[in-house]
């Protein structure tokens, strides 16, 4: 891929891994760190610039950094999210971030562009030394 856009950010959230026999089965929180890497064969316009000069807007990759009341994940109780529910492991959250980010990226594509060349790689750190990666 000729271009790779990379963005890193953190958000703070709480969760419970329902049915987990141990400390993770109790309410607890994390400062999650996320790296989004979006690759593309071509440059495109965005919602903020109409010329084909971007892989995507950095804002599109950082949506989860926003406060939960603004549509992000910061200060969210992850178990309250319908797409996660009781399944709030790092693996499930990474796949959720991938799906929701690609939905946002595709929503910004120009008419007739299916985004077939776009590839997103998500890395989610639950702690400074424990991470999960998800890509398709």
């Amino acid at each position: 891929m000729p271009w790779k856009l990379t963005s890193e950010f953190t958000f703070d959230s709480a969760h419970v891994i329902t049915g987990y026999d141990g400390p993770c089965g109790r309410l607890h929180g994390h400062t999650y760190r996320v790296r989004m890497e979006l690759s593309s064969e071509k440059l495109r316009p965005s919602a903020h610039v109409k010329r084909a000069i971007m892989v995507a807007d950095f804002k599109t990759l950082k949506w989860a950094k926003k406060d939960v009341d603004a549509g992000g994940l910061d200060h969210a109780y992850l178990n309250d999210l319908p797409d996660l529910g009781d399944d709030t492991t790092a693996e499930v959250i990474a796949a959720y971030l991938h799906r929701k980010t690609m939905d946002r990226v595709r929503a910004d594509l120009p008419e007739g562009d299916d985004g077939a060349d776009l590839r997103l790689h998500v890395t989610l750190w639950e702690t400074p030394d424990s991470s999960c990666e998800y890509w398709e």
Side-chain angles (χ1 to χ4, degrees):
M1 295 277 176
W3 291 278
K4 179 168 68 172
L5 193 65
T6 303
S7 182
E8 285 194 35
F9 57 90
T10 62
F11 66 90
D12 296 303
S13 292
H15 72 132
V16 172
I17 300 178
T18 304
Y20 188 91
D21 184 19
C24 295
R26 297 189 299 267
L27 177 63
H28 63 286
H30 299 281
T31 296
Y32 291 97
R33 190 173 102 211
V34 178
R35 177 183 296 135
M36 299 277 187
E37 297 174 287
L38 183 64
S39 300
S40 177
E41 291 288 338
K42 64 182 183 178
L43 298 179
R44 296 174 163 84
S46 80
H48 302 285
V49 64
K50 301 305 175 200
R51 296 181 323 281
I53 58 172
M54 302 175 128
V55 171
D57 197 305
F58 281 113
K59 292 178 185 182
T60 306
L61 298 182
K62 295 180 181 184
W63 68 272
K65 178 181 179 158
K66 294 180 184 176
D67 185 78
V68 66
D69 290 338
L73 297 179
D74 193 48
H75 288 82
Y77 177 55
L78 297 176
N79 297 74
D80 282 347
L81 299 175
D83 290 344
L84 295 177
D86 292 337
D87 299 324
T88 56
T89 62
E91 295 87 345
V92 174
I93 296 167
Y96 172 83
L97 288 166
H98 184 281
R99 185 172 59 257
K100 294 296 186 181
T101 302
M102 285 305 296
D103 288 349
R104 290 165 189 267
V105 168
R106 287 187 184 105
D108 281 346
L109 293 176
E111 190 172 326
D113 185 347
D114 66 0
D117 66 308
L118 293 167
R119 299 287 179 263
L120 179 63
H121 186 121
V122 175
T123 306
L124 174 76
W125 284 266
E126 192 173 83
T127 66
D129 58 2
S130 298
S131 67
C132 174
E133 298 181 53
Y134 184 88
W135 66 95
E136 289 183 336

